[in-house]
Amino acid sequence: MSSSGLRVVWVYPDLLSTYGDQGNVLVVERRARQRGLTVERVDVRSDQPIPTSGDIYLVGGGEDRPQRLAAERLRRDGGLHRAVDNGAIIFSVCAGYQILGHEFVNDLGQREPGLGLLDVVSVRGTGERCVGDVLADIDEALRLPQLTGFENHQGITQLGPGVRPLARVRLGNGNGTGDGTEGAWAGTVFGTYMHGPVLARNPQIADLLLKLTLDVNALPPVDDRWYEALRTERIAAATQAAA
Ligand code: GLN
């Protein structure tokens, strides 16, 4: 992190920001400020270069056509690779997650190359679209409470040996391959199918991103009552809907 503070980069808000994913940026910003950090938020539209000196990059979900356009531009730009080489953290959701993988199927039904930052491949699921609440247990290596989110995707994602599943679903589809995995992560690059926005429902992940950036094991506690109320409500709603 530079002496001017934490740089949070929101990648392509004009193409990748469905289902409230903008909220992820707001949550990271707020929780960093609550810990006394100076935060610079950089919103990078798809006609602008990706800065390579950011600390945390957030990549949201998107519909199929904007997803293809975003993948084309991100490949051409190359900035996310340089950012990861510089030690940055990338947290991606749904379409963003698929783009970070090796390839996905685009709106034209063609295999579209991704960025290869995560060892995953996405194809178009032949079953029903995966829509609904998700409850998942996060990878034990990350030692965080249960996750809650909302998924809405047709693509399904196969994990390669270079990643670990971010979580295992108790409810919902997650990666959609039937093996119970949800999302993927490797080093400082994370992907999930969970909207919600996922960092508002799971502030423990926002704090994980901050701890990784600051290279600390713990952060000063903040007032989490609002988040806890949201989590309790969503976990109850998901459990009831599944009953
Ligand atoms: N278009 C992708 C799919 O349906 C991603 C959707 C999303 O980001 N919600 O799989």
Side-chain angles (χ1 to χ4, degrees):
M1 197 174 88
S2 83
S3 54
S4 61
L6 183 81
R7 285 192 100 197
V8 182
V9 181
W10 183 16
V11 176
Y12 295 177
D14 53 329
L15 294 177
L16 298 175
S17 183
T18 48
Y19 311 118
D21 289 342
Q22 173 183 10
N24 292 330
V25 191
L26 300 175
V27 172
V28 171
E29 267 188 282
R30 180 170 167 76
R31 294 182 78 83
R33 290 214 169 92
Q34 286 177 307
R35 272 55 176 260
L37 298 172
T38 306
V39 182
E40 183 193 355
R41 166 170 156 188
V42 188
D43 294 358
V44 186
R45 293 179 58 85
S46 59
D47 58 356
Q48 297 173 328
I50 301 282
T52 55
S53 60
D55 296 298
I56 300 176
Y57 291 72
L58 296 162
V59 193
E63 299 309 326
D64 293 356
R65 185 167 181 276
Q67 179 178 3
R68 170 168 53 90
L69 300 178
E72 285 168 5
R73 290 169 199 189
L74 287 170
R75 283 199 309 270
R76 216 181 308 137
D77 183 279
L80 281 183
H81 284 98
R82 289 195 289 281
V84 172
D85 289 344
N86 291 340
I89 290 162
I90 305 189
F91 185 81
S92 62
V93 177
C94 204
Y97 167 40
Q98 295 177 0
I99 290 173
L100 292 200
H102 297 298
E103 66 176 43
F104 62 92
V105 175
N106 68 20
D107 58 317
L108 310 171
Q110 297 158 346
R111 288 161 58 180
E112 179 80 31
L115 302 180
L117 286 168
L118 282 174
D119 182 18
V120 303
V121 170
S122 300
V123 297
R124 192 174 294 253
T126 49
E128 272 180 42
R129 198 172 169 85
C130 302
V131 182
D133 273 295
V134 178
L135 291 181
D137 295 320
I138 196 163
D139 187 339
E140 58 197 22
L142 298 172
R143 292 190 297 275
L144 294 174
Q146 190 181 47
L147 304 179
T148 148
F150 175 79
E151 63 183 342
N152 187 345
H153 55 104
Q154 187 65 42
I156 62 175
T157 299
Q158 194 77 48
L159 310 193
V163 291
R164 288 171 66 102
L166 182 66
R168 300 217 166 247
V169 289
R170 287 183 184 213
L171 277 179
N173 297 283
N175 289 319
T177 47
D179 63 358
T181 63
E182 196 312 295
W185 71 289
T188 60
V189 183
F190 298 82
T192 178
Y193 270 112
M194 290 190 285
H195 300 276
V198 65
L199 299 186
R201 290 197 189 195
N202 307 283
Q204 65 273 28
I205 305 183
D207 284 357
L208 170 71
L209 306 182
L210 292 173
K211 284 188 275 190
L212 285 172
T213 306
L214 300 171
D215 197 16
V216 296
N217 289 324
L219 291 170
V222 292
D223 183 352
D224 274 337
R225 277 174 296 182
W226 182 87
Y227 297 96
E228 285 305 330
L230 176 65
R231 284 176 61 71
T232 306
E233 180 201 298
R234 294 320 310 165
I235 291 172
T239 312
Q240 263 171 27

